[in-house]
Amino acid sequence: MWFTNFLVASSTTMVMPFLSLYISTMGNYSETFISKWAGFTFSITFVTAFLLSPIWGRIGDRHGYKKILIFTSTGISLCLFLMGLVNSVTQLFLLRLIMGSVTGFIPLSVAFISSQTPKKMAGQVLGTLQTGPVTGMLIGPLLGGMLADSVGFRFSFIYTSSAIFFAMLLVLFGVKEEKMKRSVEKVQEYSQKEVLHFMVTKRVLFAVMIVSLLVQIANLTIQPLLALYVNQLTDSANVASLAGLAFSAVGFGNLIATRQWGKLGDRIGHIKVIMGLLVISGLIFIPQALVTSLWQLIVLRFLFGVASGGIVPCMTAYIRQVAPYEIQGELQGYNTSFRFLGNVIGPSIGGIIAGFIGISSVFYVTSALVLLSFILLYYQVRKEEKEHKEIKASNPHVIN
């Protein structure tokens, strides 16, 4: 699963650095038009993904994940292949919309591994698994940028399609799904309404879901515009390659730190790690708006990658710890849905802001959103702690 995640992440991130540049080749468009449609085209994939992620998770909880992983990877591969053949922004937009219905290979694989991992080492295991897609994110933008500069955008889409199809074959023939044996005790069945009630009544758990949304909005406001921002900072002809380098800097930072953040979460608590990383990540966004050269942006993107690398694994591990086994996949699906919703909102907001007041201003918005996430989570944690103290004070015999 580590290698398949690596392949999927590296392949899908190959197209991210040049999506806005690909749109510019389809007609004589203004920079404002390209900025807006780069955001819309990037985010539309996650509209359908947002709606379907909990359903995929629920199916995985009941029937296993392998078939779903094969189906989604095949669908992604086909959509990417067709994207290399489009001739208009509308066609690209529609294919990205369709691809959203099968997007979610990596979150589904994380839910699959999470459901079979002991709670006490969930952070370390999921952090290690996360290095697969992180390594892919590191290599993908670099390779995508070089491919785009050397052989063109269209061939890059066809290559990504082939790589994901190979990942599907690896799952089909190389992954054996073992169902957890729970014959001693009766497995409790949860309706969808009961799962939702569990999620919204657990104060910190629901706050983690909202933080997933806000953090993803913050991350995705700038990503589709990064190639244009890099173009403003350099006169080089190889803009796609340099944009790929700026993307990969985040992945390299993730790769170095992700597993260590997971281990730290296992030791001191995942929520504490998440809150600390939110503060650091929010502050690192601010100087990215003030850079005057490409190397400054790359260094700051790397530092952001180090700080943000533990947020998603620690969230996943926290859900693993608090969720009953029978609904872990569905709850992970809801968490993924919140992130996908952020993928919908973020690029659109980023494109609109950049179109009106410039790309650099988008970094201030991202910083505010991440710091707001910290405030929200901190408030809910303190409120839950206060409630537990009041319960213990009113009933000394209550242990926890």
Side-chain angles (χ1 to χ4, degrees):
M1 290 310 301
W2 186 96
F3 190 62
T4 58
N5 279 357
F6 163 77
L7 278 177
V8 172
S10 61
S11 300
T12 52
T13 55
M14 280 182 194
V15 303
M16 289 172 62
F18 61 76
L19 188 60
S20 56
L21 301 176
Y22 187 41
I23 291 174
S24 70
T25 66
M26 298 178 186
N28 187 20
Y29 303 127
S30 67
E31 184 173 315
T32 300
F33 178 92
I34 295 171
S35 294
K36 289 181 180 178
W37 276 98
F40 294 149
T41 303
F42 183 86
S43 63
I44 195 61
T45 299
F46 305 104
V47 173
T48 44
F50 162 70
L51 297 172
L52 289 175
S53 285
I55 298 175
W56 291 131
R58 189 173 184 83
I59 294 172
D61 284 334
R62 297 193 173 194
H63 305 291
Y65 287 93
K66 183 173 179 178
K67 292 179 181 178
I68 304 174
L69 292 171
I70 292 170
F71 178 78
T72 56
S73 53
T74 302
I76 295 170
S77 175
L78 178 60
C79 288
L80 284 170
F81 180 82
L82 294 175
M83 285 178 202
L85 307 178
V86 300
N87 295 309
S88 70
V89 179
T90 302
Q91 292 172 348
L92 181 64
F93 180 86
L94 290 175
L95 280 171
R96 297 271 310 171
L97 173 64
I98 294 169
M99 191 174 79
S101 64
V102 290
T103 293
F105 181 93
I106 292 174
L108 284 168
S109 67
V110 170
F112 168 50
I113 298 299
S114 174
S115 67
Q116 302 188 30
T117 302
K119 292 183 179 182
K120 64 181 180 181
M121 56 185 300
Q124 181 178 351
V125 171
L126 294 171
T128 302
L129 180 65
Q130 185 75 4
T131 61
V134 164
T135 306
M137 289 173 58
L138 171 63
I139 296 174
L142 284 173
L143 183 57
M146 289 187 290
L147 278 172
D149 285 332
S150 58
V151 298
F153 300 123
R154 296 185 183 277
F155 179 79
S156 298
F157 279 102
I158 294 171
Y159 177 86
T160 60
S161 171
S162 302
I164 292 178
F165 187 77
F166 180 65
M168 182 277 293
L169 294 176
L170 288 177
V171 174
L172 179 61
F173 298 109
V175 174
K176 181 180 180 182
E177 184 172 11
E178 297 192 6
K179 301 201 174 171
M180 303 291 284
K181 297 180 180 179
R182 297 171 64 84
S183 55
V184 176
E185 53 180 314
K186 184 179 179 180
V187 177
Q188 182 177 350
E189 293 287 340
Y190 289 82
S191 68
Q192 192 169 27
K193 184 178 179 180
E194 288 172 330
V195 175
L196 285 170
H197 182 265
F198 178 89
M199 181 178 71
V200 299
T201 54
K202 296 290 184 180
R203 186 182 297 278
V204 176
L205 174 63
F206 191 59
V208 166
M209 301 284 185
I210 300 301
V211 168
S212 288
L213 169 64
L214 294 176
V215 169
Q216 202 68 5
I217 291 174
N219 287 338
L220 270 294
T221 52
I222 194 61
Q223 280 195 17
L225 306 170
L226 198 59
L228 297 175
Y229 193 50
V230 169
N231 193 38
Q232 294 177 2
L233 296 173
T234 180
D235 296 325
S236 172
N238 299 319
V239 177
S241 296
L242 294 174
L245 183 61
F247 269 92
S248 294
V250 177
F252 189 60
N254 284 171
L255 180 63
I256 291 175
T258 293
R259 188 170 183 270
Q260 300 307 315
W261 292 131
K263 289 175 67 176
L264 182 62
D266 288 335
R267 191 164 67 249
I268 69 171
H270 297 290
I271 293 298
K272 290 180 181 178
V273 174
I274 293 170
M275 289 193 293
L277 295 180
L278 287 173
V279 173
I280 298 171
S281 299
L283 294 176
I284 291 176
F285 269 121
I286 297 174
Q288 293 180 54
L290 306 173
V291 297
T292 56
S293 64
L294 181 59
W295 72 265
Q296 293 173 341
L297 178 65
I298 291 172
V299 169
L300 288 169
R301 297 295 291 173
F302 167 76
L303 293 175
F304 171 71
V306 171
S308 64
I311 294 177
V312 172
C314 284
M315 285 180 173
T316 305
Y318 174 75
I319 294 171
R320 169 70 180 92
Q321 289 181 336
V322 300
Y325 172 80
E326 295 84 0
I327 61 172
Q328 284 177 20
E330 189 167 354
L331 283 175
Q332 297 288 5
Y334 279 113
N335 189 45
T336 301
S337 265
F338 276 104
R339 293 208 302 272
F340 281 154
L341 181 59
N343 290 350
V344 175
I345 299 171
S348 300
I349 291 177
I352 292 170
I353 293 173
F356 282 105
I357 55 178
I359 296 175
S360 61
S361 60
V362 176
F363 288 103
Y364 295 116
V365 176
T366 61
S367 175
L369 284 171
V370 175
L371 293 176
L372 176 63
S373 301
F374 161 74
I375 294 171
L376 170 66
L377 185 57
Y378 178 79
Y379 173 77
Q380 295 300 331
V381 169
R382 291 301 300 269
K383 197 165 184 179
E384 187 174 86
E385 289 176 348
K386 183 179 178 181
E387 289 175 353
H388 286 169
K389 288 180 180 178
E390 290 175 351
I391 292 172
K392 288 182 69 175
S394 62
N395 189 353
H397 299 292
V398 176
I399 298 175
N400 213 335

